[in-house]
Amino acid sequence: VFKIGDFSRLGQVSVRMLRHYDQLGLLKPGHTDPWTGYRYYTIEQLARLNRIVAMNGLGLTLQQVGDLLARDDQLSVARLRGMLTLRRAEIEQELVEKQLQLAAVEARLRQIEQEGKPSPYEVVIKTVEPVTVASLRATAATIGEVGFFCERLYGSLYESLARVGITPQEPEITLYHTQEYRETDLDMETAVVIPADARPLRGEPDFTINRLPSIDTAATLVYQGPFHTLQFPILALLNWVADCGRIPDGPLRELHLSGRAHVDGVEQEAPVIELQLPVRMAEEAA
Amino acid sequence: VFKIGDFSRLGQVSVRMLRHYDQLGLLKPGHTDPWTGYRYYTIEQLARLNRIVAMNGLGLTLQQVGDLLARDDQLSVARLRGMLTLRRAEIEQELVEKQLQLAAVEARLRQIEQEGKPSPYEVVIKTVEPVTVASLRATAATIGEVGFFCERLYGSLYESLARVGITPQEPEITLYHTQEYRETDLDMETAVVIPADARPLRGEPDFTINRLPSIDTAATLVYQGPFHTLQFPILALLNWVADCGRIPDGPLRELHLSGRAHVDGVEQEAPVIELQLPVRMAEEAA
DNA sequence: TTGCTCCTCACGTCACGTGAGGTGGC
DNA sequence: TTGCTCCTCACGTCACGTGAGGTGGC
């Protein structure tokens, strides 16, 4: 018969935990002195202690271990199998997450090695809700004219909205339907959020009303600075996506979070812009 | 300027957490109304919020993120690199642990599939401290005579100990130096723990005094039952070890935890026995 | 006035470690 | 008497979720 300290050394479990197992009813000492409260364990209890330690080592909670050991010392095969199968799925999930996290940390370290300084941008994975927008879509002839092109599109869009009596909300969203890098024939869409139930009050709209779909996994980046340096955060986003083993899975969205890009024909100096790029995991090369 | 609810939706961070970041000083609202306590955030703060979320997503603690963001908004390259390198090592460690855990869960599931019921034994990995023992080592001619053989060895051992005036302690430890399965010429050692400073008081001992080395990683199993069914727990232990991608790395030890195996020539009926097998990870097949 | 949002305070999670303050047995 | 062990009670960990109970603005 062992005092708690001896039993602790024997089973390599801290005294604190033996008391905890006692309290949870997982492992009651063979005898407890009612006067002193001293716990006395028998050598036969070592097997049960080891069972607890082993199950817990598989990542089952003490609650689960308790359930499993509840009826005398017999394990219910069905329940045990169920719990282990569940646990296996959990661990596999955890492994995937850890691996993604490792990839992200390594991507960041590489980035620091290469550039000598940390990226000024932060990429965050999030989900994006669907929104209803009024939009105009057209093709810009060259990359140089994209700025003016969008300015004109937004201009006509607001004009048309006013004409048919729909109140635009925020933000503006520019979509880049051309996904690869190209210098000509860029398929652009300028959109502005409108109420989900908006209908033209008068006249025929010369824009389309549609619903931008939700994005389950969007790599997003918030940038503050002038439009003419937008290529830097866009490149950072694309690099990050590639570095983490993901690939783009839809048009890039550019949200103007600090209000309209142009007011009275004047471009905002340092607008806050959120880039949203739908992504999915790249297939592993087989 | 955003109220906390809007900013929460914008950054995909719960209101609770925005308040928490405020409290920790990680992200103070651009303005807090001193009368109502309302927090007001500016769109420019979204970048900082995303930085916090991104760093936290890498598994850094909020404390670490706070340290990194402490001086204005600038990241210290050296510290950032240090933290990420540390974090990478941590994640790699966690991955190894998860993979071992997964292997253990899968081994258990396979075991249930094959036998139709869970193993009555629990294998636990632990460390074993070195102990000083008096021992006799000899070779048993056949597997059938191991029982008698050990009984005689322990008998002479206790006799010799008494003769030279050393008090034996507990437990008895039988070591199996023959590691592969064989039916003849089994190299056995019977040992009993003695005080670390024990010296013969008189006469010449015909046993050896040595120190059993510590075991960093021992697969151990506690068994209660007669000696003649000891092969079952031994097989279970060996199978478990193989299933988890480990291999034996030293002689198997058999500890008699419930006192001497034989008292007055009579074998204990259901002794409690702990098996300890030193193991190491198997090299992956290249 | 009714919802809606915001506020603070505080408990619960989970498997532990680490005290404080006190007692029993050699 | 002095160490050593044991006892109970309770706080801290960490990033949150989830109330209770109350207030401000349209």
Coordinates of all heavy atoms in Angstrom, one line a residue, chain A residues 86-153:
Chain A
L86 N -13.4 9.3 -33.8 CA -13.5 10.7 -33.7 C -12.2 11.4 -33.5 O -11.8 12.4 -34.1 CB -14.5 11.0 -32.6 CG -14.7 12.5 -32.3 CD1 -15.3 13.2 -33.5 CD2 -15.6 12.7 -31.1
R87 N -11.5 10.9 -32.5 CA -10.2 11.5 -32.2 C -9.2 11.5 -33.3 O -8.5 12.4 -33.5 CB -9.6 10.7 -31.0 CG -8.3 11.3 -30.4 CD -8.5 12.7 -29.8 NE -7.2 13.3 -29.7 CZ -6.9 14.5 -30.0 NH1 -7.9 15.3 -30.4 NH2 -5.7 15.0 -29.8
R88 N -9.3 10.4 -34.1 CA -8.4 10.3 -35.3 C -8.7 11.4 -36.2 O -7.8 12.1 -36.7 CB -8.5 8.9 -36.0 CG -7.7 8.8 -37.2 CD -7.7 7.4 -37.8 NE -9.1 7.1 -38.1 CZ -9.5 5.9 -38.6 NH1 -8.6 5.0 -38.8 NH2 -10.7 5.7 -38.9
A89 N -10.0 11.6 -36.5 CA -10.4 12.7 -37.4 C -9.9 14.1 -36.8 O -9.4 14.9 -37.6 CB -11.9 12.7 -37.6
E90 N -10.1 14.3 -35.5 CA -9.6 15.5 -34.9 C -8.1 15.7 -35.1 O -7.7 16.8 -35.5 CB -9.9 15.5 -33.4 CG -11.4 15.7 -33.1 CD -11.6 15.5 -31.6 OE1 -10.6 15.3 -30.8 OE2 -12.7 15.6 -31.1
I91 N -7.4 14.7 -34.9 CA -5.9 14.8 -35.0 C -5.5 15.2 -36.4 O -4.7 16.0 -36.7 CB -5.2 13.6 -34.5 CG1 -5.5 13.3 -33.0 CG2 -3.7 13.7 -34.7 CD1 -4.8 12.0 -32.5
E92 N -6.2 14.5 -37.4 CA -5.9 14.7 -38.8 C -6.1 16.2 -39.1 O -5.3 16.8 -39.8 CB -6.7 13.8 -39.7 CG -6.0 12.4 -39.7 CD -7.0 11.3 -40.3 OE1 -8.1 11.6 -40.6 OE2 -6.5 10.2 -40.4
Q93 N -7.3 16.7 -38.6 CA -7.6 18.1 -38.8 C -6.5 19.0 -38.2 O -6.1 19.9 -38.9 CB -9.0 18.4 -38.2 CG -9.5 19.8 -38.5 CD -9.5 20.1 -40.0 OE1 -9.9 19.2 -40.8 NE2 -9.1 21.3 -40.3
E94 N -6.1 18.7 -37.0 CA -5.1 19.5 -36.3 C -3.8 19.5 -37.1 O -3.1 20.5 -37.2 CB -4.9 19.0 -34.9 CG -6.1 19.2 -34.0 CD -6.1 18.4 -32.7 OE1 -5.0 17.8 -32.4 OE2 -7.1 18.4 -32.0
L95 N -3.5 18.3 -37.6 CA -2.3 18.2 -38.4 C -2.3 19.1 -39.6 O -1.3 19.8 -39.9 CB -2.0 16.8 -38.9 CG -1.3 15.8 -37.9 CD1 -1.3 14.4 -38.4 CD2 0.1 16.4 -37.7
V96 N -3.4 19.1 -40.3 CA -3.5 20.0 -41.5 C -3.4 21.4 -41.1 O -2.6 22.2 -41.7 CB -4.9 19.8 -42.2 CG1 -5.2 20.8 -43.2 CG2 -5.0 18.4 -42.8
E97 N -4.0 21.8 -40.0 CA -3.9 23.2 -39.6 C -2.5 23.6 -39.2 O -2.0 24.6 -39.6 CB -4.8 23.4 -38.4 CG -6.3 23.7 -38.8 CD -7.3 23.5 -37.6 OE1 -6.8 23.6 -36.5 OE2 -8.4 23.3 -37.9
K98 N -1.8 22.7 -38.5 CA -0.4 23.0 -38.1 C 0.4 23.1 -39.3 O 1.3 23.9 -39.4 CB 0.1 21.8 -37.2 CG -0.4 21.8 -35.8 CD 0.5 22.6 -34.9 CE -0.2 22.8 -33.5 NZ -0.5 24.1 -33.2
Q99 N 0.2 22.2 -40.3 CA 1.0 22.3 -41.5 C 0.8 23.6 -42.2 O 1.8 24.2 -42.7 CB 0.7 21.1 -42.4 CG 1.6 19.9 -42.0 CD 1.0 18.6 -42.4 OE1 -0.1 18.5 -42.9 NE2 1.7 17.5 -42.1
L100 N -0.4 24.1 -42.3 CA -0.7 25.3 -42.9 C 0.0 26.5 -42.2 O 0.5 27.4 -42.7 CB -2.2 25.6 -43.0 CG -3.0 24.8 -44.0 CD1 -4.5 25.1 -43.9 CD2 -2.5 25.2 -45.4
Q101 N -0.1 26.4 -40.8 CA 0.5 27.4 -40.0 C 2.0 27.4 -40.2 O 2.7 28.5 -40.4 CB 0.2 27.1 -38.5 CG 0.2 28.3 -37.7 CD -0.2 28.0 -36.2 OE1 0.4 27.1 -35.6 NE2 -1.0 28.8 -35.7
L102 N 2.6 26.2 -40.3 CA 4.0 26.1 -40.6 C 4.4 26.7 -41.9 O 5.3 27.5 -42.0 CB 4.5 24.6 -40.5 CG 6.0 24.4 -40.7 CD1 6.8 25.1 -39.6 CD2 6.3 22.9 -40.7
A103 N 3.6 26.4 -42.9 CA 3.8 27.0 -44.2 C 3.8 28.5 -44.2 O 4.6 29.2 -44.7 CB 2.8 26.5 -45.2
A104 N 2.8 29.1 -43.4 CA 2.7 30.5 -43.3 C 3.9 31.1 -42.6 O 4.4 32.2 -43.0 CB 1.4 30.9 -42.5
V105 N 4.4 30.5 -41.5 CA 5.5 31.0 -40.8 C 6.7 31.0 -41.7 O 7.5 31.9 -41.8 CB 5.8 30.2 -39.5 CG1 7.1 30.5 -38.9 CG2 4.7 30.4 -38.5
E106 N 6.9 29.9 -42.4 CA 8.1 29.7 -43.3 C 8.0 30.8 -44.4 O 9.0 31.3 -44.8 CB 8.2 28.3 -43.8 CG 8.6 27.3 -42.7 CD 8.7 25.9 -43.2 OE1 8.1 25.6 -44.2 OE2 9.4 25.1 -42.6
A107 N 6.8 31.0 -45.0 CA 6.7 32.0 -46.0 C 7.2 33.3 -45.5 O 7.9 34.1 -46.2 CB 5.2 32.0 -46.5
R108 N 6.8 33.6 -44.3 CA 7.1 34.9 -43.8 C 8.6 35.0 -43.5 O 9.2 36.1 -43.8 CB 6.5 35.1 -42.4 CG 5.7 36.3 -42.2 CD 4.7 36.2 -41.1 NE 3.5 36.7 -41.6 CZ 3.2 38.0 -41.5 NH1 4.1 38.8 -41.1 NH2 2.0 38.4 -41.9
L109 N 9.2 34.0 -43.1 CA 10.7 34.0 -42.8 C 11.4 34.2 -44.2 O 12.3 35.0 -44.3 CB 11.1 32.7 -42.2 CG 10.9 32.7 -40.6 CD1 11.1 31.3 -40.0 CD2 11.9 33.7 -40.0
R110 N 11.0 33.4 -45.2 CA 11.6 33.6 -46.5 C 11.5 35.0 -47.0 O 12.4 35.6 -47.5 CB 10.9 32.7 -47.5 CG 11.4 31.3 -47.6 CD 11.0 30.6 -48.9 NE 9.6 30.6 -49.1 CZ 8.8 29.7 -48.6 NH1 9.3 28.7 -47.8 NH2 7.5 29.7 -48.8
Q111 N 10.3 35.6 -46.8 CA 10.0 36.9 -47.2 C 11.0 37.9 -46.5 O 11.6 38.8 -47.2 CB 8.6 37.3 -46.8 CG 8.0 38.5 -47.6 CD 8.4 39.8 -46.9 OE1 8.6 39.8 -45.7 NE2 8.6 40.8 -47.7
I112 N 11.3 37.7 -45.2 CA 12.2 38.5 -44.5 C 13.7 38.4 -45.1 O 14.4 39.3 -45.3 CB 12.2 38.3 -43.0 CG1 10.9 38.7 -42.4 CG2 13.4 39.0 -42.3 CD1 10.8 38.4 -40.9
E113 N 14.0 37.1 -45.3 CA 15.4 36.8 -45.8 C 15.6 37.5 -47.2 O 16.6 38.2 -47.4 CB 15.6 35.3 -46.1 CG 15.5 34.5 -44.8 CD 16.4 34.9 -43.7 OE1 17.5 35.4 -44.0 OE2 16.0 34.8 -42.5
Q114 N 14.6 37.5 -48.0 CA 14.7 38.0 -49.4 C 14.7 39.5 -49.4 O 15.5 40.1 -50.1 CB 13.6 37.5 -50.3 CG 13.9 36.0 -50.8 CD 12.7 35.4 -51.4 OE1 11.8 36.1 -51.8 NE2 12.7 34.1 -51.4
E115 N 13.8 40.1 -48.6 CA 13.6 41.6 -48.7 C 14.5 42.3 -47.7 O 14.6 43.5 -47.7 CB 12.2 42.0 -48.5 CG 11.2 41.0 -49.3 CD 10.8 41.7 -50.6 OE1 10.6 42.9 -50.6 OE2 10.6 40.9 -51.6
G116 N 14.9 41.6 -46.7 CA 15.7 42.2 -45.6 C 14.8 43.0 -44.6 O 15.3 43.5 -43.6
K117 N 13.5 43.1 -44.9 CA 12.6 43.7 -43.9 C 11.2 43.0 -44.0 O 10.9 42.5 -45.1 CB 12.5 45.2 -44.2 CG 12.0 45.5 -45.5 CD 12.0 47.1 -45.7 CE 11.7 47.4 -47.2 NZ 10.4 46.9 -47.6
P118 N 10.5 43.1 -42.9 CA 9.2 42.4 -43.0 C 8.3 43.1 -43.9 O 8.4 44.3 -44.2 CB 8.7 42.6 -41.5 CG 9.5 43.7 -40.9 CD 10.8 43.7 -41.6
S119 N 7.4 42.4 -44.5 CA 6.4 42.9 -45.4 C 5.5 44.0 -44.7 O 5.2 43.8 -43.5 CB 5.5 41.8 -45.9 OG 4.3 42.4 -46.5
P120 N 5.3 45.1 -45.3 CA 4.4 46.1 -44.7 C 2.9 45.7 -44.8 O 2.1 46.4 -44.3 CB 4.7 47.4 -45.5 CG 5.2 46.9 -46.9 CD 5.8 45.6 -46.6
Y121 N 2.7 44.6 -45.5 CA 1.3 44.2 -45.6 C 1.0 43.0 -44.8 O 1.9 42.2 -44.6 CB 0.9 43.9 -47.1 CG 1.4 45.0 -48.0 CD1 2.5 44.7 -48.9 CD2 0.9 46.3 -48.0 CE1 2.9 45.7 -49.8 CE2 1.4 47.3 -48.8 CZ 2.4 47.0 -49.7 OH 2.8 47.9 -50.6
E122 N -0.3 42.8 -44.4 CA -0.7 41.6 -43.7 C -1.8 41.0 -44.4 O -2.8 41.6 -44.7 CB -1.2 42.0 -42.3 CG -0.2 42.5 -41.4 CD 1.0 41.6 -41.1 OE1 0.8 40.4 -41.2 OE2 2.1 42.1 -40.8
V123 N -1.6 39.7 -44.8 CA -2.6 38.9 -45.5 C -3.4 38.2 -44.4 O -2.8 37.5 -43.6 CB -2.0 38.0 -46.5 CG1 -3.1 37.2 -47.2 CG2 -1.2 38.8 -47.5
V124 N -4.7 38.3 -44.5 CA -5.6 37.5 -43.6 C -6.6 36.7 -44.4 O -7.1 37.3 -45.4 CB -6.3 38.5 -42.7 CG1 -7.4 37.8 -41.8 CG2 -5.3 39.3 -41.8
I125 N -6.8 35.5 -44.0 CA -7.8 34.7 -44.7 C -9.1 35.0 -44.0 O -9.2 34.9 -42.8 CB -7.5 33.2 -44.5 CG1 -6.2 32.8 -45.2 CG2 -8.6 32.3 -44.9 CD1 -6.4 32.7 -46.7
K126 N -10.1 35.3 -44.7 CA -11.5 35.5 -44.1 C -12.5 35.0 -45.1 O -12.3 34.6 -46.2 CB -11.7 36.9 -43.7 CG -11.5 38.0 -44.8 CD -12.1 39.3 -44.4 CE -11.1 40.2 -43.6 NZ -11.5 41.6 -43.5
T127 N -13.8 35.1 -44.7 CA -14.9 34.8 -45.5 C -15.5 36.1 -45.9 O -15.5 37.1 -45.1 CB -15.9 33.9 -44.9 OG1 -16.4 34.6 -43.7 CG2 -15.4 32.6 -44.4
V128 N -16.1 36.2 -47.1 CA -16.8 37.4 -47.5 C -18.3 37.1 -47.8 O -18.6 36.1 -48.5 CB -16.1 37.9 -48.8 CG1 -16.8 39.2 -49.3 CG2 -14.6 38.3 -48.5
E129 N -19.1 37.9 -47.3 CA -20.6 37.7 -47.5 C -21.0 38.2 -48.9 O -20.3 39.1 -49.4 CB -21.3 38.5 -46.4 CG -21.1 38.1 -45.0 CD -21.6 36.6 -44.8 OE1 -22.8 36.3 -45.1 OE2 -20.7 35.8 -44.5
P130 N -22.0 37.7 -49.4 CA -22.5 38.2 -50.7 C -23.0 39.6 -50.6 O -23.5 40.0 -49.5 CB -23.6 37.2 -51.1 CG -24.0 36.6 -49.8 CD -22.8 36.6 -48.9
V131 N -22.9 40.4 -51.6 CA -23.5 41.8 -51.6 C -24.2 42.0 -52.9 O -23.8 41.5 -53.9 CB -22.4 42.9 -51.4 CG1 -22.1 43.1 -49.9 CG2 -21.2 42.6 -52.2
T132 N -25.1 42.9 -52.8 CA -25.8 43.3 -54.1 C -25.2 44.6 -54.6 O -24.9 45.5 -53.8 CB -27.3 43.6 -53.8 OG1 -27.9 42.4 -53.2 CG2 -28.1 44.0 -55.0
V133 N -24.9 44.6 -55.9 CA -24.2 45.8 -56.4 C -24.8 46.2 -57.7 O -25.4 45.4 -58.4 CB -22.7 45.5 -56.7 CG1 -21.9 45.2 -55.4 CG2 -22.5 44.3 -57.7
A134 N -24.6 47.4 -58.1 CA -24.9 47.9 -59.4 C -23.5 48.0 -60.1 O -22.6 48.5 -59.5 CB -25.5 49.3 -59.4
S135 N -23.4 47.5 -61.3 CA -22.1 47.5 -61.9 C -22.0 47.8 -63.4 O -23.0 47.6 -64.1 CB -21.4 46.2 -61.6 OG -21.8 45.2 -62.4
L136 N -20.9 48.2 -63.9 CA -20.6 48.4 -65.3 C -19.4 47.6 -65.6 O -18.4 47.6 -64.8 CB -20.3 49.8 -65.6 CG -21.5 50.7 -65.6 CD1 -21.1 52.2 -65.9 CD2 -22.5 50.3 -66.7
R137 N -19.4 46.8 -66.7 CA -18.2 46.0 -67.0 C -17.8 46.3 -68.4 O -18.6 46.5 -69.3 CB -18.6 44.5 -66.9 CG -17.5 43.5 -67.2 CD -17.9 42.2 -66.7 NE -16.9 41.2 -67.1 CZ -16.9 39.9 -66.7 NH1 -18.0 39.5 -66.0 NH2 -16.0 39.0 -67.1
A138 N -16.5 46.5 -68.6 CA -15.9 46.8 -69.9 C -14.5 46.5 -70.0 O -13.9 46.1 -69.0 CB -16.1 48.3 -70.1
T139 N -13.9 46.6 -71.2 CA -12.5 46.2 -71.4 C -11.7 47.4 -71.6 O -11.9 48.2 -72.5 CB -12.4 45.2 -72.6 OG1 -13.2 44.1 -72.3 CG2 -11.0 44.8 -72.8
A140 N -10.6 47.5 -70.8 CA -9.7 48.6 -71.0 C -8.7 48.2 -72.0 O -8.2 47.1 -71.9 CB -9.0 49.0 -69.7
A141 N -8.4 49.1 -72.9 CA -7.5 48.7 -74.0 C -6.1 48.4 -73.5 O -5.4 47.4 -73.9 CB -7.5 49.8 -75.1
T142 N -5.5 49.3 -72.7 CA -4.1 49.1 -72.2 C -4.1 49.3 -70.7 O -5.0 50.0 -70.1 CB -3.2 50.1 -72.8 OG1 -3.4 51.4 -72.2 CG2 -3.4 50.2 -74.3
I143 N -3.0 48.8 -70.1 CA -2.9 48.9 -68.7 C -2.7 50.3 -68.2 O -3.1 50.7 -67.1 CB -1.7 48.0 -68.2 CG1 -1.9 47.6 -66.7 CG2 -0.4 48.6 -68.5 CD1 -0.9 46.5 -66.3
G144 N -2.2 51.1 -69.1 CA -1.9 52.5 -68.7 C -3.2 53.3 -68.5 O -3.2 54.2 -67.7
E145 N -4.2 52.9 -69.2 CA -5.4 53.7 -69.1 C -6.5 53.2 -68.0 O -7.6 53.8 -67.9 CB -6.1 53.8 -70.5 CG -6.8 52.5 -70.9 CD -7.7 52.7 -72.1 OE1 -7.3 53.3 -73.1 OE2 -8.9 52.2 -72.0
V146 N -6.1 52.2 -67.3 CA -7.0 51.6 -66.3 C -7.5 52.7 -65.3 O -8.7 52.7 -65.0 CB -6.4 50.4 -65.5 CG1 -7.1 50.1 -64.3 CG2 -6.3 49.2 -66.5
G147 N -6.7 53.6 -64.9 CA -7.1 54.6 -63.9 C -8.2 55.4 -64.4 O -9.3 55.5 -63.8
F148 N -8.0 56.1 -65.6 CA -9.0 56.9 -66.2 C -10.2 56.1 -66.5 O -11.4 56.6 -66.3 CB -8.4 57.6 -67.5 CG -7.5 58.7 -67.2 CD1 -6.2 58.7 -67.8 CD2 -7.9 59.8 -66.4 CE1 -5.4 59.7 -67.5 CE2 -7.0 60.8 -66.2 CZ -5.7 60.8 -66.7
F149 N -10.0 55.0 -67.0 CA -11.1 54.1 -67.4 C -12.0 53.8 -66.3 O -13.3 54.0 -66.4 CB -10.4 52.8 -67.9 CG -11.4 51.8 -68.6 CD1 -11.8 52.1 -69.9 CD2 -11.9 50.7 -67.9 CE1 -12.6 51.2 -70.5 CE2 -12.7 49.9 -68.5 CZ -13.1 50.1 -69.8
C150 N -11.5 53.4 -65.1 CA -12.3 53.2 -64.0 C -13.0 54.5 -63.5 O -14.2 54.5 -63.1 CB -11.5 52.6 -62.8 SG -11.0 50.9 -63.1
E151 N -12.3 55.6 -63.5 CA -12.9 56.8 -63.1 C -14.1 57.1 -63.9 O -15.2 57.5 -63.4 CB -11.8 57.9 -63.2 CG -12.4 59.3 -62.7 CD -11.3 60.4 -62.8 OE1 -10.2 60.1 -63.1 OE2 -11.7 61.5 -62.6
R152 N -14.0 56.9 -65.2 CA -15.1 57.2 -66.1 C -16.3 56.2 -65.9 O -17.4 56.6 -65.8 CB -14.7 57.1 -67.6 CG -14.3 58.5 -68.1 CD -14.0 58.5 -69.6 NE -12.8 57.7 -69.9 CZ -12.8 56.6 -70.7 NH1 -14.0 56.2 -71.2 NH2 -11.7 56.0 -70.9
L153 N -15.9 54.9 -65.7 CA -17.0 54.0 -65.4 C -17.7 54.3 -64.1 O -19.0 54.3 -64.1 CB -16.4 52.6 -65.2 CG -16.0 51.9 -66.5 CD1 -15.4 50.5 -66.2 CD2 -17.1 51.7 -67.5

